[in-house]
Amino acid sequence: MNILVTGGAGYIGSHTVKQLIDAGHRVVVLDNFYSGHRWAIDPAATLVEGDIADSDSVSQVLQTHNIDSVVHFAGYIVVPESVSDPFKYYENNVVGSLRLINACEQNDVQRFVFSSSAAVYGLPDSKKVDENARLNPINPYGNSKLITEMTLNDVANAYQHKDTPFKFVALRYFNAAGAQIAGNLGQATPEATHLIKVACEAATGKREQMKLFGTDYDTPDGSCVRDYIHVEDLAAAHLKALDYLADGGDSIRLNCGYGQGYSVKEVVAMVKKVSGVDFTAIETGRRAGDPPSLIADNTQIKRLLGWKPQYDDLELICRTAFNWEQTWQARQ
Ligand code: UDP
C-alpha cells in the first residue's frame, strides 16, 4: 500500500512507520514537528513537513504519492492540558482531523486508520469496557476523539456507494507505554506527563521526584487503574487494521488494550524494581479529568483483526521504557 502517516515522527507513529516499512509498504510521513523528532523517522520513509489542517498541501501529498491509505496519529494527547486549554484540542484534534478527512475523501483514499482513545468512554459502568459501552467522555481530549470518530462514521456512510468507498478503523487506545524492543525508538516528549515515562525520569534522576495523583479512588489500592499496552503491540494493530480494510472489512471502532489493569501504585513499584532505584513518589490529590479505572475488553480486535499481543507484560513494558530513557538522556 501507499500509506500516509500523519504524526509519523511521534512516539506511536514512529514505531508504526518502522513496522510498515519492514512489512514492505511505501510510507510518506506528514509531521509538523510540534512534538515529533526527525531521527525517529525510518530513513526509508519519505518526509513531508506540514500540517494536517493545510488541506491544499495534504491534497498535493495524497496525489503526488498516489496514497491509498492513511494512518492518522497527529494530535495533542495530554488530558489535563485539554481541560485547561480546550480550544487547542478542538482546533487541532477536531478541526485538523476534519480537514484531513475531507482531503482524503476528495482524493479517493480508501482506508483510514485513526488513533482514537479509551477516553471516549469516560467513566465506564463495567470493569472491562467493550465497544458498545456508553460513550461519555469526561474531558475535552476524549470529546475531541469522539467527535472525530463520529465524523469518520458519517463520511464513511455518506460515500459508501463510491467506486472506491472511504472506510475506517478507529483504534481506541488504552495506555500506550514502553519502547521498541530493538532499543532505537521510544518516547522522547520533552514535557512528559504520562505515568511510566514520568516514573522512568524519576528513576534516572532527570526529575527529583514524581507525584502520584489520587489515592482515594474506589479501586483496590485507591489509585487509578489503567490498561498499559506495549507500543510495539499497538503499532502492530495498525498494520492489522489496514490489512482488514484491504480484505474488504467494514468500518469499525475497536479497543486496543490487553484487558488487564494495573494501579498507579503497582506501576510505580514496577519501575522501581526494573530500575533498582527507590525514587520518591509523593502521594497527592486527584488530577483533573482522570477516570478511576479503564480496562479494555479486547475480544473484538482479536477476533476481527487477528491481533495477537506479544508483549503483554508490565515488567517488560517498564524495562523497555527505562532502558530507552537512559539511552535517550545519554544522547542529549
Ligand atoms: N499519573 C500520576 N503521576 C504522573 C502521571 C500520571 O499519578 O506523574 C497517573 C494519572 O493521574 C492517571 C494514571 O497515572 O491516574 C495514568 O495517567 P497517564 O497520564 O499516564 O495516562 P491517561 O490515562 O491520562 O491517558
Side-chain angles (χ1 to χ4, degrees), residues 77 79-80 141 175 193-196 198 207 210-214 217 224-226 228 264 287 290-291 294:
I77 58 162
V79 169
Y141 169 73
N175 289 59
T193 61
H194 288 135
L195 177 63
I196 292 180
V198 167
R207 56 176 85 209
M210 65 167 290
K211 286 182 180 161
L212 201 155
F213 298 123
Y217 288 98
C224 288
V225 173
R226 294 287 183 278
Y228 295 91
V264 175
R287 191 179 71 172
D290 276 345
L294 268 178

mmCIF file of all heavy atoms in Angstrom, residues 77 79-80 141 175 193-196 198 207 210-214 217 224-226 228 264 287 290-291 294, ligand 1:
data_model
loop_
_atom_site.group_PDB
_atom_site.id
_atom_site.type_symbol
_atom_site.label_atom_id
_atom_site.label_comp_id
_atom_site.label_asym_id
_atom_site.label_seq_id
_atom_site.Cartn_x
_atom_site.Cartn_y
_atom_site.Cartn_z
ATOM 1 N N ILE A 77 -2.265 15.116 23.035
ATOM 2 C CA ILE A 77 -2.613 13.898 23.794
ATOM 3 C C ILE A 77 -2.650 14.066 25.312
ATOM 4 O O ILE A 77 -2.793 13.082 26.013
ATOM 5 C CB ILE A 77 -1.598 12.768 23.472
ATOM 6 C CG1 ILE A 77 -0.174 13.203 23.811
ATOM 7 C CG2 ILE A 77 -1.707 12.326 22.036
ATOM 8 C CD1 ILE A 77 0.782 12.030 23.931
ATOM 9 N N VAL A 79 -4.340 14.875 28.620
ATOM 10 C CA VAL A 79 -5.690 15.073 29.158
ATOM 11 C C VAL A 79 -5.799 16.352 30.009
ATOM 12 O O VAL A 79 -6.677 17.188 29.756
ATOM 13 C CB VAL A 79 -6.148 13.820 29.941
ATOM 14 C CG1 VAL A 79 -7.419 14.091 30.719
ATOM 15 C CG2 VAL A 79 -6.347 12.652 28.982
ATOM 16 N N PRO A 80 -4.944 16.565 31.022
ATOM 17 C CA PRO A 80 -5.117 17.766 31.845
ATOM 18 C C PRO A 80 -4.949 19.067 31.047
ATOM 19 O O PRO A 80 -5.640 20.063 31.314
ATOM 20 C CB PRO A 80 -4.038 17.653 32.931
ATOM 21 C CG PRO A 80 -3.165 16.516 32.543
ATOM 22 C CD PRO A 80 -3.892 15.682 31.561
ATOM 23 N N TYR A 141 -10.161 16.226 25.675
ATOM 24 C CA TYR A 141 -9.377 15.284 24.864
ATOM 25 C C TYR A 141 -10.280 14.144 24.373
ATOM 26 O O TYR A 141 -10.328 13.825 23.185
ATOM 27 C CB TYR A 141 -8.203 14.736 25.694
ATOM 28 C CG TYR A 141 -7.512 13.579 25.026
ATOM 29 C CD1 TYR A 141 -6.693 13.783 23.921
ATOM 30 C CD2 TYR A 141 -7.676 12.276 25.503
ATOM 31 C CE1 TYR A 141 -6.074 12.703 23.288
ATOM 32 C CE2 TYR A 141 -7.054 11.201 24.888
ATOM 33 C CZ TYR A 141 -6.254 11.422 23.789
ATOM 34 O OH TYR A 141 -5.646 10.359 23.173
ATOM 35 N N ASN A 175 -3.572 2.596 27.434
ATOM 36 C CA ASN A 175 -2.397 3.423 27.742
ATOM 37 C C ASN A 175 -1.129 2.898 27.077
ATOM 38 O O ASN A 175 -0.537 1.916 27.535
ATOM 39 C CB ASN A 175 -2.213 3.508 29.259
ATOM 40 C CG ASN A 175 -3.292 4.362 29.895
ATOM 41 O OD1 ASN A 175 -4.481 4.067 29.780
ATOM 42 N ND2 ASN A 175 -2.887 5.442 30.530
ATOM 43 N N THR A 193 4.103 13.765 30.536
ATOM 44 C CA THR A 193 3.083 13.719 31.589
ATOM 45 C C THR A 193 2.599 12.295 31.835
ATOM 46 O O THR A 193 1.910 12.043 32.810
ATOM 47 C CB THR A 193 1.841 14.566 31.207
ATOM 48 O OG1 THR A 193 1.276 14.024 30.016
ATOM 49 C CG2 THR A 193 2.199 16.020 31.003
ATOM 50 N N HIS A 194 2.909 11.366 30.942
ATOM 51 C CA HIS A 194 2.383 10.010 31.085
ATOM 52 C C HIS A 194 3.154 9.230 32.146
ATOM 53 O O HIS A 194 4.375 9.345 32.271
ATOM 54 C CB HIS A 194 2.388 9.292 29.739
ATOM 55 C CG HIS A 194 1.330 9.824 28.816
ATOM 56 N ND1 HIS A 194 1.560 10.104 27.508
ATOM 57 C CD2 HIS A 194 0.037 10.154 29.047
ATOM 58 C CE1 HIS A 194 0.437 10.565 26.958
ATOM 59 N NE2 HIS A 194 -0.490 10.608 27.878
ATOM 60 N N LEU A 195 2.395 8.421 32.873
ATOM 61 C CA LEU A 195 2.892 7.826 34.118
ATOM 62 C C LEU A 195 4.230 7.094 33.984
ATOM 63 O O LEU A 195 5.162 7.365 34.743
ATOM 64 C CB LEU A 195 1.831 6.876 34.686
ATOM 65 C CG LEU A 195 2.263 6.128 35.951
ATOM 66 C CD1 LEU A 195 2.525 7.096 37.093
ATOM 67 C CD2 LEU A 195 1.198 5.115 36.351
ATOM 68 N N ILE A 196 4.328 6.144 33.050
ATOM 69 C CA ILE A 196 5.539 5.310 33.016
ATOM 70 C C ILE A 196 6.750 6.143 32.616
ATOM 71 O O ILE A 196 7.840 6.001 33.180
ATOM 72 C CB ILE A 196 5.310 4.078 32.104
ATOM 73 C CG1 ILE A 196 4.270 3.167 32.794
ATOM 74 C CG2 ILE A 196 6.609 3.335 31.824
ATOM 75 C CD1 ILE A 196 3.916 1.893 32.057
ATOM 76 N N VAL A 198 7.128 9.376 33.162
ATOM 77 C CA VAL A 198 7.445 10.238 34.310
ATOM 78 C C VAL A 198 8.196 9.429 35.380
ATOM 79 O O VAL A 198 9.215 9.876 35.931
ATOM 80 C CB VAL A 198 6.146 10.845 34.898
ATOM 81 C CG1 VAL A 198 6.403 11.481 36.256
ATOM 82 C CG2 VAL A 198 5.570 11.872 33.942
ATOM 83 N N ARG A 207 14.213 13.892 36.971
ATOM 84 C CA ARG A 207 13.397 14.705 37.885
ATOM 85 C C ARG A 207 13.622 14.184 39.303
ATOM 86 O O ARG A 207 13.854 12.988 39.502
ATOM 87 C CB ARG A 207 11.929 14.731 37.486
ATOM 88 C CG ARG A 207 11.244 13.426 37.349
ATOM 89 C CD ARG A 207 9.770 13.625 37.038
ATOM 90 N NE ARG A 207 9.487 13.814 35.622
ATOM 91 C CZ ARG A 207 8.466 14.520 35.158
ATOM 92 N NH1 ARG A 207 7.631 15.128 35.985
ATOM 93 N NH2 ARG A 207 8.246 14.638 33.861
ATOM 94 N N MET A 210 8.444 12.324 41.723
ATOM 95 C CA MET A 210 7.220 12.385 40.922
ATOM 96 C C MET A 210 6.020 12.469 41.847
ATOM 97 O O MET A 210 6.138 12.221 43.053
ATOM 98 C CB MET A 210 7.108 11.153 40.025
ATOM 99 C CG MET A 210 6.955 9.863 40.779
ATOM 100 S SD MET A 210 6.442 8.500 39.723
ATOM 101 C CE MET A 210 4.746 8.962 39.320
ATOM 102 N N LYS A 211 4.887 12.831 41.256
ATOM 103 C CA LYS A 211 3.650 12.894 42.042
ATOM 104 C C LYS A 211 2.761 11.720 41.670
ATOM 105 O O LYS A 211 2.697 11.334 40.504
ATOM 106 C CB LYS A 211 2.897 14.191 41.745
ATOM 107 C CG LYS A 211 3.545 15.397 42.370
ATOM 108 C CD LYS A 211 2.722 16.627 42.078
ATOM 109 C CE LYS A 211 3.370 17.846 42.699
ATOM 110 N NZ LYS A 211 2.879 19.083 42.094
ATOM 111 N N LEU A 212 2.090 11.200 42.662
ATOM 112 C CA LEU A 212 1.129 10.110 42.443
ATOM 113 C C LEU A 212 -0.254 10.732 42.707
ATOM 114 O O LEU A 212 -0.582 11.085 43.840
ATOM 115 C CB LEU A 212 1.461 9.005 43.439
ATOM 116 C CG LEU A 212 0.987 7.602 43.176
ATOM 117 C CD1 LEU A 212 1.884 6.606 43.870
ATOM 118 C CD2 LEU A 212 -0.435 7.449 43.611
ATOM 119 N N PHE A 213 -0.995 10.913 41.599
ATOM 120 C CA PHE A 213 -2.236 11.700 41.674
ATOM 121 C C PHE A 213 -3.439 10.872 42.135
ATOM 122 O O PHE A 213 -3.957 10.065 41.376
ATOM 123 C CB PHE A 213 -2.573 12.301 40.309
ATOM 124 C CG PHE A 213 -1.548 13.262 39.796
ATOM 125 C CD1 PHE A 213 -0.936 13.051 38.563
ATOM 126 C CD2 PHE A 213 -1.190 14.391 40.523
ATOM 127 C CE1 PHE A 213 0.004 13.943 38.069
ATOM 128 C CE2 PHE A 213 -0.248 15.286 40.039
ATOM 129 C CZ PHE A 213 0.359 15.052 38.805
ATOM 130 N N GLY A 214 -3.871 11.072 43.348
ATOM 131 C CA GLY A 214 -5.123 10.478 43.808
ATOM 132 C C GLY A 214 -4.940 9.104 44.419
ATOM 133 O O GLY A 214 -4.500 8.167 43.751
ATOM 134 N N TYR A 217 -9.466 6.839 45.250
ATOM 135 C CA TYR A 217 -10.439 6.331 44.275
ATOM 136 C C TYR A 217 -11.028 5.011 44.776
ATOM 137 O O TYR A 217 -10.414 4.322 45.608
ATOM 138 C CB TYR A 217 -9.762 6.085 42.922
ATOM 139 C CG TYR A 217 -9.409 7.350 42.175
ATOM 140 C CD1 TYR A 217 -8.116 7.872 42.230
ATOM 141 C CD2 TYR A 217 -10.359 8.016 41.408
ATOM 142 C CE1 TYR A 217 -7.782 9.023 41.535
ATOM 143 C CE2 TYR A 217 -10.032 9.171 40.719
ATOM 144 C CZ TYR A 217 -8.747 9.670 40.774
ATOM 145 O OH TYR A 217 -8.423 10.805 40.090
ATOM 146 N N CYS A 224 -5.554 5.125 40.598
ATOM 147 C CA CYS A 224 -6.256 4.822 39.334
ATOM 148 C C CYS A 224 -5.705 3.570 38.664
ATOM 149 O O CYS A 224 -4.505 3.280 38.763
ATOM 150 C CB CYS A 224 -6.101 5.980 38.356
ATOM 151 S SG CYS A 224 -7.051 7.422 38.789
ATOM 152 N N VAL A 225 -6.583 2.879 37.969
ATOM 153 C CA VAL A 225 -6.203 1.648 37.271
ATOM 154 C C VAL A 225 -6.271 1.885 35.760
ATOM 155 O O VAL A 225 -7.248 2.452 35.254
ATOM 156 C CB VAL A 225 -7.152 0.502 37.682
ATOM 157 C CG1 VAL A 225 -6.897 -0.743 36.844
ATOM 158 C CG2 VAL A 225 -6.984 0.188 39.163
ATOM 159 N N ARG A 226 -5.212 1.449 35.061
ATOM 160 C CA ARG A 226 -5.172 1.588 33.605
ATOM 161 C C ARG A 226 -4.665 0.299 32.973
ATOM 162 O O ARG A 226 -3.980 -0.505 33.623
ATOM 163 C CB ARG A 226 -4.206 2.727 33.200
ATOM 164 C CG ARG A 226 -4.639 4.113 33.632
ATOM 165 C CD ARG A 226 -5.802 4.616 32.802
ATOM 166 N NE ARG A 226 -6.170 5.977 33.158
ATOM 167 C CZ ARG A 226 -6.957 6.307 34.195
ATOM 168 N NH1 ARG A 226 -7.456 5.368 34.983
ATOM 169 N NH2 ARG A 226 -7.248 7.563 34.442
ATOM 170 N N TYR A 228 -2.172 -0.892 30.433
ATOM 171 C CA TYR A 228 -0.961 -0.423 29.727
ATOM 172 C C TYR A 228 -0.619 -1.389 28.606
ATOM 173 O O TYR A 228 -0.492 -2.596 28.835
ATOM 174 C CB TYR A 228 0.215 -0.278 30.704
ATOM 175 C CG TYR A 228 -0.068 0.797 31.727
ATOM 176 C CD1 TYR A 228 -0.686 0.500 32.939
ATOM 177 C CD2 TYR A 228 0.218 2.131 31.443
ATOM 178 C CE1 TYR A 228 -1.009 1.492 33.853
ATOM 179 C CE2 TYR A 228 -0.097 3.135 32.358
ATOM 180 C CZ TYR A 228 -0.703 2.800 33.557
ATOM 181 O OH TYR A 228 -1.022 3.793 34.445
ATOM 182 N N VAL A 264 -1.773 2.764 39.615
ATOM 183 C CA VAL A 264 -0.633 3.686 39.566
ATOM 184 C C VAL A 264 0.439 3.224 40.561
ATOM 185 O O VAL A 264 1.635 3.212 40.248
ATOM 186 C CB VAL A 264 -1.082 5.130 39.867
ATOM 187 C CG1 VAL A 264 0.114 6.070 39.928
ATOM 188 C CG2 VAL A 264 -2.075 5.624 38.817
ATOM 189 N N ARG A 287 -5.919 14.323 39.895
ATOM 190 C CA ARG A 287 -5.637 15.175 38.732
ATOM 191 C C ARG A 287 -6.951 15.347 37.957
ATOM 192 O O ARG A 287 -7.705 14.390 37.808
ATOM 193 C CB ARG A 287 -4.594 14.468 37.862
ATOM 194 C CG ARG A 287 -4.001 15.290 36.774
ATOM 195 C CD ARG A 287 -2.961 14.498 36.001
ATOM 196 N NE ARG A 287 -3.570 13.456 35.174
ATOM 197 C CZ ARG A 287 -2.901 12.711 34.283
ATOM 198 N NH1 ARG A 287 -1.597 12.869 34.146
ATOM 199 N NH2 ARG A 287 -3.520 11.821 33.567
ATOM 200 N N ASP A 290 -9.292 12.657 35.336
ATOM 201 C CA ASP A 290 -8.890 11.239 35.419
ATOM 202 C C ASP A 290 -10.058 10.327 35.804
ATOM 203 O O ASP A 290 -10.605 10.450 36.902
ATOM 204 C CB ASP A 290 -7.820 11.054 36.510
ATOM 205 C CG ASP A 290 -6.420 11.345 36.008
ATOM 206 O OD1 ASP A 290 -6.225 11.408 34.781
ATOM 207 O OD2 ASP A 290 -5.520 11.504 36.855
ATOM 208 N N PRO A 291 -10.432 9.358 34.967
ATOM 209 C CA PRO A 291 -11.387 8.340 35.420
ATOM 210 C C PRO A 291 -10.693 7.343 36.342
ATOM 211 O O PRO A 291 -9.497 7.084 36.172
ATOM 212 C CB PRO A 291 -11.840 7.666 34.119
ATOM 213 C CG PRO A 291 -10.761 7.944 33.140
ATOM 214 C CD PRO A 291 -10.031 9.179 33.576
ATOM 215 N N LEU A 294 -9.862 2.186 33.750
ATOM 216 C CA LEU A 294 -10.131 1.952 32.317
ATOM 217 C C LEU A 294 -9.396 0.692 31.889
ATOM 218 O O LEU A 294 -8.165 0.667 31.826
ATOM 219 C CB LEU A 294 -9.609 3.125 31.483
ATOM 220 C CG LEU A 294 -10.550 4.283 31.160
ATOM 221 C CD1 LEU A 294 -9.810 5.346 30.360
ATOM 222 C CD2 LEU A 294 -11.794 3.829 30.407
HETATM 223 N N1 UDP B 1 -0.255 9.736 36.962
HETATM 224 C C1 UDP B 1 0.377 10.012 38.175
HETATM 225 N N2 UDP B 1 1.529 10.767 38.151
HETATM 226 C C2 UDP B 1 2.054 11.255 36.994
HETATM 227 C C3 UDP B 1 1.401 10.954 35.773
HETATM 228 C C4 UDP B 1 0.244 10.195 35.790
HETATM 229 O O1 UDP B 1 -0.070 9.599 39.247
HETATM 230 O O2 UDP B 1 3.070 11.962 37.036
HETATM 231 C C5 UDP B 1 -1.491 8.947 36.972
HETATM 232 C C6 UDP B 1 -2.686 9.683 36.381
HETATM 233 O O3 UDP B 1 -3.289 10.513 37.339
HETATM 234 C C7 UDP B 1 -3.557 8.517 35.933
HETATM 235 C C8 UDP B 1 -2.548 7.451 35.515
HETATM 236 O O4 UDP B 1 -1.318 7.819 36.138
HETATM 237 O O5 UDP B 1 -4.298 8.040 37.028
HETATM 238 C C9 UDP B 1 -2.339 7.374 34.018
HETATM 239 O O6 UDP B 1 -2.133 8.697 33.542
HETATM 240 P P1 UDP B 1 -1.426 8.989 32.147
HETATM 241 O O7 UDP B 1 -1.255 10.476 32.040
HETATM 242 O O8 UDP B 1 -0.204 8.152 32.003
HETATM 243 O O9 UDP B 1 -2.465 8.458 31.065
HETATM 244 P P2 UDP B 1 -4.030 8.770 30.844
HETATM 245 O O10 UDP B 1 -4.739 7.575 31.417
HETATM 246 O O11 UDP B 1 -4.370 10.066 31.495
HETATM 247 O O12 UDP B 1 -4.159 8.827 29.344
#
